[in-house]
Amino acid sequence: MKRLNYQKGVRVLLALLFFIPILLFFLDFTNKMPVDVHKFLHIQLLPAVLGGMFGIVAVLLIMTYLFGRIYCSAICPAGILQDIINRLFCISKKKKKGVRRFSYHKPMNWLRYSILALTVVTTALGFSGLCLLLDPYSNFGRIAANLFRPAVMWGNNVLADWLMKMDNYSLFHVTISTVSIAGLISAIVALVVFIVMVIFRGRLFCNTLCPVGALLSLVSRYSQMRISFDKEACNHCGNCERTCKAEAINAKEMTVDSSRCVDCFNCVSSCSKGGLQYRFKPAFHKENDNLVPVPDTGPQKDRHSQSAADTGSSNAIPCQAQERTSASNSRRTFLATGVTVAATLPVVSAIADGVGQAKGHGQGNGHGKKKGRKKWPPITPPGSLNLERFKDKCTGCHICVVKCPSQVLRPAGLEYGFDYLLKPRMAYISSYCNYECTICSEVCPAEALKPISVEEKKSLQVGIATFFINRCIVKTEGTDCGACSEHCPTQAVHMVPYEGTLTIPEVNPDLCVGCGGCESICPVRPMRAIIVKANTVHQTIVLPEEEDVKNVEVDDFGF
């Protein structure tokens, strides 16, 4: 019988208080949630490290030193998502007597600390690829942005259709346009990895692949508050080990690996005798100081056998040989996986470079470059300052993508190389960057996008429009147009006399902010007559007179 445990209740309550606002912030396609909710994102550990928010980092590390890895079970959305998956699996799976849910496994310290060291080194050298692939918050963000959010939007559209048949127009159709193939694949892979690892090994991701978990484990092994055995109350039933999703409890040796324990308190609540307690223990206190291993003979053995029989789990505590075999198999599996991934990354990068070069050598690519020239770089969002800085700091969580009101931000695939994979870029396919919008810079938790004011945004030049006269319908069809000029907020694109009564666009680069209003509205297809070329380092322009600035609203067809 489970014992009522307030510690688990508090942990669940805290997890819900953090998880629900973060999830709803990603799912909110109506942009009705307060922007201040983004502050929940700024306390995520790895984005805080990349953003230089060392005060938040210090608070999280001190909290871990005092209370253990509370962050992993109550603050990290990916950790909470894994707990939800585990709970759903437990509900759907019929419990059978004698079948173990989890069991103790030796820690794979060599793997998790190698990944942590590799992540630190590569990030310091300016390559954030490992952060992007392994950061728990960013993986959750991509899952929420590319799977959960489109599912909610699709459900909204289905419900809107149903209500319209009854002349109820309280809901409206929304366009699902921010999901890219690369983003969708990455979200599916991350979710599948979470599900598989949770089903078979609980919090295996957190204790092997996650650099955040590895960093916190270095501190939590010396935490002042920790879960430990009460040798007088424990009856060696093994329930605690079966419920430990971190696989950190060795019921036979009566030890708890505090470096892997995520303080979910499932073990404490599962023990009806109070054999496990969350209590204060001095720093650097050895795990075995107050523990008594299970004897092999005598009355204690009889009690253990009887208790195991009562719980229907006579095999609840595996022998040491089985543990060694399991640990050895796990090491071989992860070593093979690691070698495969390491060998694959250069190949993927080479393929990406080859694809980019092939596109660059094509006859007139999407940015109008001539044959034999390199593809233009991506246009980075306002606040990124420059391309290299943005690549170093962005972890591809896609919160800026889902919060962009004009949906101009899209996740990149391999077209710009592996080092820009899944990072957002400005794509003026059917929309533009609002002249007075700064939402993306406000919500970025890693400060890959520095917060900027509206006035700073108005004078920020992220790119310069380039006009291709041979594509313009004024020349090719001899007809008036001027859509690009009509939708330029700074009048950088203006019309000048051409032939007879015709006028043709001309670009003043000193006034262009690269908002994409001209490119998004250009009617020429497939390659538009005016395209914004990225500034790899953002520039500041001198604003025109106030009366010359127009409030632009781009519709589907601009003239």
Side-chain angles (χ1 to χ4, degrees):
M1 179 179 178
K2 290 186 177 181
R3 188 178 57 159
L4 183 63
N5 179 257
Y6 75 92
Q7 294 161 338
K8 181 178 178 180
V10 171
R11 190 266 301 175
V12 172
L13 179 61
L14 287 175
L16 293 176
L17 290 177
F18 280 100
F19 184 76
I20 292 177
I22 292 175
L23 178 63
L24 292 179
F25 197 56
F26 273 95
L27 300 184
D28 177 31
F29 58 87
T30 61
N31 292 324
K32 291 183 178 180
M33 287 195 69
V35 181
D36 289 341
V37 176
H38 74 83
K39 293 179 181 178
F40 282 95
L41 309 181
H42 289 265
I43 59 175
Q44 302 303 316
L45 184 57
L46 192 53
V49 171
L50 294 176
M53 294 174 280
F54 299 114
I56 294 177
V57 175
V59 169
L60 293 177
L61 293 180
I62 292 173
M63 181 182 70
T64 303
Y65 175 72
L66 294 176
F67 305 108
R69 287 172 59 177
I70 296 293
Y71 172 89
C72 297
S73 59
I75 298 178
C76 176
I80 300 171
L81 176 62
Q82 291 177 73
D83 288 345
I84 294 174
I85 295 171
N86 178 55
R87 185 62 180 170
L88 293 175
F89 177 76
C90 289
I91 292 175
S92 63
K93 182 179 175 64
K94 183 178 180 181
K95 295 182 179 179
K96 298 179 181 179
K97 289 186 176 181
V99 177
R100 298 176 58 81
R101 180 69 179 93
F102 298 113
S103 62
Y104 173 78
H105 287 79
K106 291 183 178 180
M108 289 180 283
N109 292 331
W110 63 272
L111 177 62
R112 58 174 170 169
Y113 294 132
S114 296
I115 291 177
L116 174 62
L118 188 60
T119 303
V120 171
V121 171
T122 54
T123 303
L125 294 176
F127 178 71
S128 60
L130 282 179
C131 290
L132 182 142
L133 294 175
L134 299 178
D135 175 38
Y137 159 72
S138 299
N139 276 290
F140 170 81
R142 289 191 290 272
I143 292 172
N146 296 286
L147 288 178
F148 297 164
R149 189 171 188 265
V152 171
M153 296 171 74
W154 176 81
N156 171 84
N157 292 343
V158 171
L159 186 58
D161 288 338
W162 182 72
L163 291 175
M164 286 173 62
K165 294 178 181 179
M166 298 184 293
D167 293 329
N168 186 330
Y169 300 94
S170 56
L171 295 180
F172 57 90
H173 264 262
V174 291
T175 303
I176 307 173
S177 60
T178 58
V179 179
S180 67
I181 295 178
L184 183 61
I185 292 175
S186 69
I188 293 175
V189 170
L191 184 59
V192 169
V193 168
F194 283 165
I195 292 175
V196 172
M197 286 190 167
V198 166
I199 289 177
F200 291 100
R201 295 286 301 275
R203 286 293 195 99
L204 183 63
F205 175 85
C206 303
N207 286 322
T208 53
L209 301 180
C210 178
V212 173
L215 175 62
L216 294 179
S217 72
L218 294 173
V219 181
S220 66
R221 66 175 64 246
Y222 305 118
S223 59
Q224 300 300 291
M225 295 289 294
R226 62 179 69 187
I227 296 174
S228 59
F229 278 89
D230 185 336
K231 63 179 182 180
E232 296 180 355
C234 179
N235 63 356
H236 315 297
C237 66
N239 281 338
C240 54
E241 183 176 334
R242 288 196 301 274
T243 59
C244 180
K245 56 197 174 191
E247 300 181 329
I249 296 179
N250 187 340
K252 184 174 183 178
E253 301 295 333
M254 297 181 68
T255 59
V256 180
D257 184 355
S258 58
S259 72
R260 289 187 290 165
C261 174
V262 295
D263 289 337
C264 65
F265 304 115
N266 287 350
C267 57
V268 177
S269 64
S270 70
C271 183
S272 60
K273 304 297 182 180
L276 278 167
Q277 296 182 9
Y278 180 64
R279 56 188 175 181
F280 173 78
K281 295 191 71 174
F284 303 100
H285 188 77
K286 292 184 179 180
E287 290 289 340
N288 294 326
D289 285 353
N290 195 33
L291 306 179
V292 177
V294 181
D296 292 332
T297 58
Q300 290 284 350
K301 180 178 180 180
D302 294 337
R303 284 200 301 270
H304 167 65
S305 301
Q306 181 63 36
S307 176
D310 292 341
T311 58
S313 180
S314 59
N315 296 324
I317 303 176
C319 65
Q320 293 181 354
Q322 290 174 328
E323 290 179 354
R324 286 194 296 269
T325 302
S326 177
S328 178
N329 291 336
S330 298
R331 284 195 294 269
R332 284 195 293 268
T333 300
F334 275 93
L335 181 60
T337 303
V339 171
T340 302
V341 172
T344 303
L345 289 180
V347 177
V348 174
S349 181
I351 293 174
D353 292 339
V355 171
Q357 291 176 4
K359 289 185 177 181
H361 286 289
Q363 179 66 34
N365 61 25
H367 280 158
K369 295 298 285 182
K370 293 182 180 180
K371 184 176 180 179
R373 293 189 181 181
K374 190 177 180 181
K375 184 178 180 66
W376 286 359
I379 304 173
T380 57
S384 56
L385 303 185
N386 61 75
L387 176 61
E388 293 304 318
R389 177 188 177 277
F390 185 64
K391 288 195 295 186
D392 292 346
K393 289 186 173 292
C394 178
T395 60
C397 71
H398 295 177
I399 186 61
C400 59
V401 175
V402 300
K403 301 313 293 184
C404 178
S406 57
Q407 298 185 353
V408 71
L409 289 176
R410 305 290 176 89
L414 289 171
E415 62 267 30
Y416 299 107
F418 187 77
D419 59 346
Y420 204 83
L421 178 65
L422 299 176
K423 293 177 171 59
R425 61 185 177 90
M426 308 279 269
Y428 304 128
I429 301 171
S430 58
S431 189
Y432 67 105
C433 182
N434 193 310
Y435 188 56
E436 297 182 347
C437 177
T438 61
I439 290 179
C440 59
S441 69
E442 296 174 11
V443 300
C444 180
E447 291 204 7
L449 303 179
K450 298 286 288 185
I452 57 176
S453 65
V454 173
E455 292 304 316
E456 290 174 326
K457 168 68 183 299
K458 289 180 178 180
S459 60
L460 185 65
Q461 187 186 70
V462 299
I464 300 175
T466 302
F467 177 59
F468 299 91
I469 189 172
N470 291 329
R471 300 179 188 172
C472 183
I473 61 174
V474 176
K475 179 177 181 179
T476 59
E477 300 181 13
T479 183
D480 285 316
C481 181
C484 52
S485 175
E486 289 292 328
H487 291 83
C488 180
T490 64
Q491 283 300 282
V493 181
H494 54 277
M495 306 302 290
V496 296
Y498 180 55
E499 292 179 353
T501 60
L502 295 177
T503 57
I504 201 163
E506 184 179 73
V507 179
N508 181 355
D510 294 333
L511 294 180
C512 182
V513 293
C515 68
C518 55
E519 180 179 341
S520 65
I521 205 62
C522 179
V524 180
R525 299 292 185 274
M527 293 177 289
R528 308 190 184 194
I530 189 164
I531 296 173
V532 178
K533 179 181 178 181
N535 282 346
T536 54
V537 178
H538 291 183
Q539 306 295 328
T540 302
I541 66 168
V542 178
L543 288 171
E545 296 296 330
E546 188 66 26
E547 59 268 17
D548 293 335
V549 178
K550 299 191 301 183
N551 185 18
V552 176
E553 293 183 3
V554 178
D555 51 20
D556 292 336
F557 203 65
F559 56 94

XYZ file of all heavy atoms in Angstrom, residues 137-200:
501
model
N 15.278 21.329 -23.126
C 14.266 22.351 -23.386
C 14.058 22.559 -24.885
O 12.917 22.665 -25.360
C 14.659 23.680 -22.735
C 13.965 24.856 -23.373
C 12.605 25.079 -23.164
C 14.655 25.713 -24.226
C 11.955 26.138 -23.781
C 14.011 26.771 -24.840
C 12.660 26.977 -24.618
O 12.018 28.019 -25.245
N 15.146 22.613 -25.646
C 15.034 22.849 -27.083
C 14.334 21.692 -27.778
O 13.544 21.898 -28.709
C 16.420 23.076 -27.692
O 17.034 24.211 -27.113
N 14.606 20.468 -27.338
C 13.904 19.317 -27.906
C 12.416 19.377 -27.593
O 11.579 19.084 -28.453
C 14.508 18.016 -27.378
C 15.729 17.579 -28.164
O 15.621 17.161 -29.308
N 16.895 17.687 -27.558
N 12.092 19.763 -26.368
C 10.677 19.929 -26.033
C 10.049 21.025 -26.888
O 8.918 20.882 -27.364
C 10.517 20.278 -24.552
C 9.113 20.692 -24.194
C 8.138 19.742 -23.962
C 8.763 22.035 -24.116
C 6.840 20.118 -23.651
C 7.469 22.421 -23.810
C 6.503 21.458 -23.576
N 10.773 22.132 -27.078
C 10.245 23.224 -27.882
C 9.933 22.793 -29.300
O 8.885 23.153 -29.859
N 10.829 22.006 -29.897
C 10.582 21.543 -31.268
C 9.414 20.567 -31.323
O 8.643 20.556 -32.290
C 11.853 20.913 -31.841
C 12.941 21.930 -32.139
C 14.063 21.318 -32.942
N 14.850 20.368 -32.176
C 15.899 20.688 -31.438
N 16.274 21.948 -31.340
N 16.582 19.768 -30.792
N 9.276 19.731 -30.291
C 8.131 18.816 -30.243
C 6.830 19.606 -30.135
O 5.852 19.338 -30.848
C 8.275 17.842 -29.056
C 9.447 16.884 -29.291
C 6.991 17.054 -28.840
C 9.783 16.023 -28.088
N 6.811 20.597 -29.247
C 5.602 21.396 -29.058
C 5.282 22.230 -30.290
O 4.115 22.350 -30.691
C 5.767 22.302 -27.834
N 6.321 22.806 -30.921
C 6.102 23.706 -32.054
C 5.745 22.972 -33.333
O 4.945 23.471 -34.139
C 7.348 24.566 -32.278
N 6.322 21.791 -33.539
C 6.161 21.101 -34.819
C 5.202 19.920 -34.782
O 4.831 19.402 -35.840
C 7.527 20.618 -35.318
C 8.482 21.755 -35.608
O 8.346 22.457 -36.597
N 9.456 21.954 -34.727
N 4.800 19.482 -33.583
C 3.852 18.372 -33.476
C 2.587 18.769 -32.725
O 1.477 18.683 -33.260
C 4.518 17.177 -32.783
C 5.581 16.415 -33.585
C 6.173 15.288 -32.749
C 4.998 15.856 -34.872
N 2.757 19.217 -31.483
C 1.586 19.525 -30.666
C 0.811 20.723 -31.213
O -0.420 20.687 -31.312
C 2.010 19.794 -29.219
C 2.642 18.617 -28.536
C 3.373 18.773 -27.367
C 2.510 17.339 -29.053
C 3.957 17.691 -26.725
C 3.086 16.245 -28.426
C 3.813 16.426 -27.262
N 1.514 21.780 -31.569
C 0.838 22.990 -32.045
C 0.086 22.756 -33.354
O -1.091 23.134 -33.467
C 1.853 24.126 -32.198
C 1.242 25.493 -32.476
C 2.322 26.562 -32.375
N 1.779 27.896 -32.452
C 1.705 28.615 -33.555
N 2.134 28.095 -34.700
N 1.212 29.835 -33.540
N 0.710 22.146 -34.377
C -0.065 21.853 -35.591
C -1.264 20.948 -35.328
O -2.309 21.099 -35.978
C 0.960 21.166 -36.504
C 2.279 21.668 -36.036
C 2.134 21.830 -34.555
N -1.122 20.009 -34.380
C -2.254 19.133 -34.053
C -3.407 19.940 -33.464
O -4.580 19.714 -33.798
C -1.806 18.044 -33.077
N -3.079 20.895 -32.593
C -4.118 21.751 -32.013
C -4.756 22.623 -33.094
O -5.984 22.799 -33.126
C -3.520 22.623 -30.886
C -4.526 23.667 -30.420
C -3.088 21.755 -29.710
N -3.941 23.159 -33.994
C -4.472 23.997 -35.069
C -5.353 23.183 -36.013
O -6.398 23.658 -36.479
C -3.313 24.650 -35.832
C -2.483 25.602 -34.978
S -0.976 26.186 -35.794
C -1.654 27.342 -36.971
N -4.942 21.953 -36.303
C -5.767 21.081 -37.134
C -7.096 20.783 -36.445
O -8.159 20.803 -37.075
C -5.015 19.785 -37.418
C -5.823 18.782 -38.191
C -6.035 18.745 -39.539
C -6.549 17.671 -37.639
N -6.838 17.682 -39.867
C -7.171 17.003 -38.725
C -6.728 17.178 -36.351
C -7.954 15.868 -38.540
C -7.509 16.049 -36.168
C -8.115 15.407 -37.250
N -7.044 20.506 -35.143
C -8.276 20.279 -34.399
C -9.179 21.498 -34.409
O -10.411 21.379 -34.503
N -8.570 22.684 -34.315
C -9.348 23.924 -34.398
C -10.053 24.035 -35.750
O -11.232 24.415 -35.818
C -8.420 25.116 -34.189
C -9.093 26.442 -34.482
O -9.769 27.014 -33.641
N -8.898 26.961 -35.697
N -9.352 23.697 -36.827
C -9.951 23.793 -38.161
C -11.092 22.796 -38.343
O -12.120 23.109 -38.956
C -8.881 23.571 -39.231
C -7.866 24.700 -39.278
O -8.108 25.785 -38.749
N -6.728 24.453 -39.898
N -10.908 21.582 -37.818
C -11.977 20.581 -37.905
C -13.207 21.047 -37.136
O -14.348 20.953 -37.622
C -11.481 19.224 -37.359
C -12.641 18.234 -37.248
C -10.387 18.657 -38.256
N -12.977 21.576 -35.939
C -14.096 22.060 -35.130
C -14.757 23.277 -35.771
O -15.985 23.424 -35.731
C -13.599 22.401 -33.725
C -14.662 22.786 -32.689
C -15.688 21.670 -32.534
C -14.010 23.104 -31.350
N -13.944 24.141 -36.391
C -14.501 25.316 -37.070
C -15.409 24.899 -38.224
O -16.482 25.488 -38.427
C -13.373 26.211 -37.570
N -14.989 23.882 -38.990
C -15.829 23.378 -40.084
C -17.153 22.837 -39.558
O -18.216 23.061 -40.148
C -15.091 22.279 -40.852
C -13.959 22.834 -41.706
O -14.011 24.032 -42.037
O -13.030 22.074 -42.027
N -17.082 22.118 -38.465
C -18.288 21.529 -37.887
C -19.244 22.611 -37.386
O -20.459 22.518 -37.574
C -17.887 20.589 -36.753
C -19.045 19.885 -36.114
C -19.804 18.888 -36.640
C -19.583 20.152 -34.808
N -20.780 18.500 -35.750
C -20.665 19.258 -34.617
C -19.247 21.046 -33.793
C -21.410 19.248 -33.448
C -19.991 21.027 -32.626
C -21.061 20.143 -32.460
N -18.685 23.652 -36.764
C -19.529 24.736 -36.259
C -20.127 25.562 -37.393
O -21.257 26.056 -37.286
C -18.709 25.636 -35.328
C -18.278 25.024 -33.990
C -17.378 25.989 -33.224
C -19.497 24.658 -33.143
N -19.360 25.714 -38.483
C -19.866 26.496 -39.615
C -21.102 25.858 -40.236
O -21.980 26.551 -40.760
C -18.765 26.656 -40.668
C -17.666 27.640 -40.273
S -16.291 27.656 -41.447
C -17.123 28.207 -42.926
N -21.185 24.537 -40.180
C -22.364 23.860 -40.714
C -23.618 24.195 -39.916
O -24.734 24.044 -40.410
C -22.134 22.349 -40.713
C -21.033 21.903 -41.671
C -20.815 20.402 -41.597
C -19.699 19.967 -42.541
N -19.447 18.502 -42.467
N -23.407 24.648 -38.682
C -24.535 25.044 -37.835
C -24.631 26.562 -37.725
O -25.218 27.089 -36.780
C -24.368 24.419 -36.440
C -24.380 22.891 -36.455
S -24.309 22.174 -34.804
C -22.657 22.661 -34.324
N -24.006 27.257 -38.686
C -24.024 28.726 -38.729
C -23.421 29.353 -37.473
O -23.847 30.417 -37.022
C -25.456 29.251 -38.932
C -25.999 28.881 -40.298
O -25.184 28.778 -41.234
O -27.222 28.686 -40.421
N -22.436 28.675 -36.922
C -21.712 29.201 -35.764
C -20.299 29.544 -36.228
O -19.547 28.671 -36.652
C -21.671 28.155 -34.649
C -21.050 28.695 -33.367
O -20.190 29.566 -33.396
N -21.494 28.168 -32.232
N -19.946 30.823 -36.147
C -18.653 31.275 -36.664
C -17.744 31.781 -35.542
O -16.959 32.703 -35.735
C -18.870 32.377 -37.704
C -19.695 31.912 -38.882
C -21.074 32.116 -38.906
C -19.102 31.245 -39.938
C -21.840 31.668 -39.974
C -19.853 30.799 -41.016
C -21.223 31.010 -41.024
O -21.976 30.563 -42.084
N -17.864 31.163 -34.378
C -17.044 31.581 -33.238
C -15.581 31.189 -33.415
O -14.696 31.804 -32.828
C -17.591 30.974 -31.941
O -17.670 29.557 -32.044
N -15.318 30.149 -34.223
C -13.948 29.755 -34.531
C -13.656 30.044 -35.996
O -14.567 30.104 -36.823
C -13.730 28.264 -34.243
C -13.830 27.820 -32.780
C -13.586 26.320 -32.666
C -12.848 28.576 -31.902
N -12.389 30.211 -36.309
C -11.995 30.510 -37.679
C -10.835 29.614 -38.092
O -10.086 29.105 -37.257
C -11.588 31.979 -37.814
C -10.489 32.396 -36.885
C -9.152 32.291 -37.257
C -10.785 32.892 -35.620
C -8.137 32.667 -36.397
C -9.776 33.275 -34.746
C -8.448 33.161 -35.139
N -10.710 29.427 -39.390
C -9.632 28.603 -39.928
C -8.287 29.301 -39.749
O -8.183 30.519 -39.888
C -9.868 28.327 -41.412
C -10.532 27.014 -41.663
N -9.847 25.879 -42.006
C -11.839 26.655 -41.590
C -10.687 24.881 -42.163
N -11.909 25.320 -41.916
N -7.269 28.510 -39.447
C -5.912 29.037 -39.347
C -5.015 28.244 -40.292
O -5.249 27.061 -40.546
C -5.370 28.954 -37.902
C -6.093 29.924 -37.000
C -5.475 27.541 -37.354
N -4.003 28.908 -40.812
C -3.082 28.276 -41.750
C -1.877 27.723 -41.008
O -1.230 28.433 -40.235
C -2.604 29.284 -42.812
O -3.744 29.824 -43.479
C -1.695 28.608 -43.823
N -1.580 26.463 -41.232
C -0.416 25.827 -40.611
C 0.748 25.972 -41.584
O 0.913 25.169 -42.506
C -0.691 24.347 -40.306
C -1.974 24.207 -39.480
C 0.486 23.716 -39.570
C -2.414 22.770 -39.264
N 1.546 27.016 -41.392
C 2.571 27.330 -42.387
C 3.982 27.398 -41.823
O 4.934 27.572 -42.572
C 2.249 28.672 -43.060
O 2.215 29.715 -42.102
N 4.134 27.283 -40.509
C 5.465 27.460 -39.914
C 6.219 26.149 -39.736
O 7.348 26.150 -39.254
C 5.349 28.147 -38.543
O 4.507 27.363 -37.690
C 4.761 29.537 -38.687
N 5.607 25.028 -40.093
C 6.251 23.725 -39.907
C 7.074 23.386 -41.143
O 6.555 23.375 -42.262
C 5.206 22.622 -39.651
C 5.892 21.273 -39.488
C 4.389 22.948 -38.410
N 8.356 23.124 -40.932
C 9.230 22.710 -42.026
C 9.469 21.210 -41.936
O 9.226 20.581 -40.900
C 10.562 23.454 -41.959
O 11.294 23.063 -40.810
N 9.952 20.639 -43.026
C 10.232 19.201 -43.033
C 11.307 18.867 -42.007
O 11.189 17.896 -41.253
C 10.664 18.753 -44.443
C 9.506 18.931 -45.432
C 11.128 17.299 -44.428
C 9.850 18.571 -46.858
N 12.355 19.694 -41.954
C 13.433 19.450 -40.992
C 12.923 19.554 -39.559
O 13.269 18.735 -38.702
C 14.571 20.440 -41.221
N 12.091 20.565 -39.288
C 11.545 20.716 -37.946
C 10.643 19.564 -37.564
O 10.679 19.081 -36.425
N 9.832 19.102 -38.515
C 8.923 17.988 -38.245
C 9.699 16.705 -37.973
O 9.390 15.967 -37.024
C 7.979 17.801 -39.432
C 6.908 16.716 -39.283
C 5.982 17.031 -38.120
C 6.111 16.569 -40.579
N 10.719 16.438 -38.776
C 11.524 15.226 -38.580
C 12.234 15.269 -37.233
O 12.257 14.277 -36.489
C 12.539 15.067 -39.727
C 11.810 14.761 -41.041
C 13.539 13.960 -39.415
C 12.724 14.700 -42.247
N 12.812 16.420 -36.895
C 13.526 16.532 -35.618
C 12.585 16.337 -34.439
O 12.954 15.712 -33.432
C 14.216 17.894 -35.517
O 13.265 18.943 -35.391
N 11.363 16.855 -34.550
C 10.390 16.700 -33.466
C 9.960 15.245 -33.313
O 9.854 14.729 -32.187
C 9.178 17.584 -33.736
N 9.723 14.576 -34.434
C 9.319 13.166 -34.379
C 10.431 12.312 -33.777
O 10.183 11.455 -32.920
C 8.944 12.666 -35.788
C 7.673 13.366 -36.278
C 8.747 11.154 -35.793
C 7.299 13.030 -37.711
N 11.671 12.554 -34.223
C 12.805 11.784 -33.698
C 12.949 11.999 -32.192
O 13.122 11.041 -31.425
C 14.105 12.171 -34.427
C 15.319 11.572 -33.725
C 14.061 11.706 -35.877
N 12.867 13.252 -31.749
C 13.013 13.546 -30.315
C 11.913 12.875 -29.504
O 12.175 12.285 -28.445
C 12.994 15.058 -30.095
N 10.672 12.944 -29.991
C 9.560 12.342 -29.253
C 9.690 10.822 -29.210
O 9.442 10.202 -28.159
C 8.235 12.743 -29.896
C 6.970 12.270 -29.168
C 6.933 12.809 -27.742
C 5.718 12.686 -29.928
N 10.090 10.217 -30.316
C 10.266 8.761 -30.348
C 11.384 8.337 -29.393
O 11.253 7.343 -28.664
C 10.561 8.285 -31.783
C 11.013 6.827 -31.787
C 9.333 8.448 -32.666
N 12.482 9.095 -29.379
C 13.585 8.787 -28.455
C 13.101 8.862 -27.012
O 13.395 7.980 -26.190
C 14.767 9.751 -28.689
C 15.780 9.648 -27.549
C 15.451 9.441 -30.010
N 12.352 9.910 -26.685
C 11.809 10.033 -25.331
C 10.922 8.839 -24.989
O 11.047 8.232 -23.916
C 11.000 11.328 -25.202
C 11.836 12.561 -25.052
C 11.286 13.823 -25.235
C 13.179 12.484 -24.731
C 12.051 14.971 -25.098
C 13.962 13.625 -24.594
C 13.392 14.868 -24.779
N 10.013 8.495 -25.890
C 9.055 7.421 -25.611
C 9.772 6.089 -25.418
O 9.512 5.357 -24.451
C 8.020 7.325 -26.747
C 7.112 8.561 -26.749
C 7.173 6.063 -26.606
C 6.141 8.610 -27.913
N 10.680 5.758 -26.337
C 11.379 4.470 -26.259
C 12.220 4.382 -24.989
O 12.186 3.372 -24.268
C 12.259 4.261 -27.508
C 13.141 3.031 -27.345
C 11.388 4.117 -28.750
N 12.972 5.437 -24.700
C 13.821 5.405 -23.511
C 12.995 5.350 -22.231
O 13.351 4.636 -21.286
C 14.743 6.626 -23.497
C 15.885 6.545 -24.490
S 17.111 7.851 -24.236
C 18.456 7.250 -25.260
N 11.895 6.088 -22.196
C 11.055 6.092 -20.995
C 10.426 4.726 -20.771
O 10.386 4.221 -19.640
C 9.969 7.182 -21.111
C 8.890 6.974 -20.054
C 10.585 8.559 -20.951
N 9.938 4.104 -21.828
C 9.265 2.813 -21.684
C 10.220 1.741 -21.170
O 9.870 0.946 -20.290
C 8.645 2.386 -23.031
C 7.430 3.269 -23.353
C 8.227 0.917 -22.996
C 6.802 2.971 -24.698
N 11.432 1.736 -21.702
C 12.352 0.655 -21.348
C 13.282 0.992 -20.188
O 13.632 0.106 -19.412
C 13.186 0.265 -22.575
C 12.390 -0.406 -23.651
C 11.967 0.296 -24.764
C 12.032 -1.740 -23.539
C 11.220 -0.314 -25.758
C 11.287 -2.366 -24.526
C 10.873 -1.654 -25.637
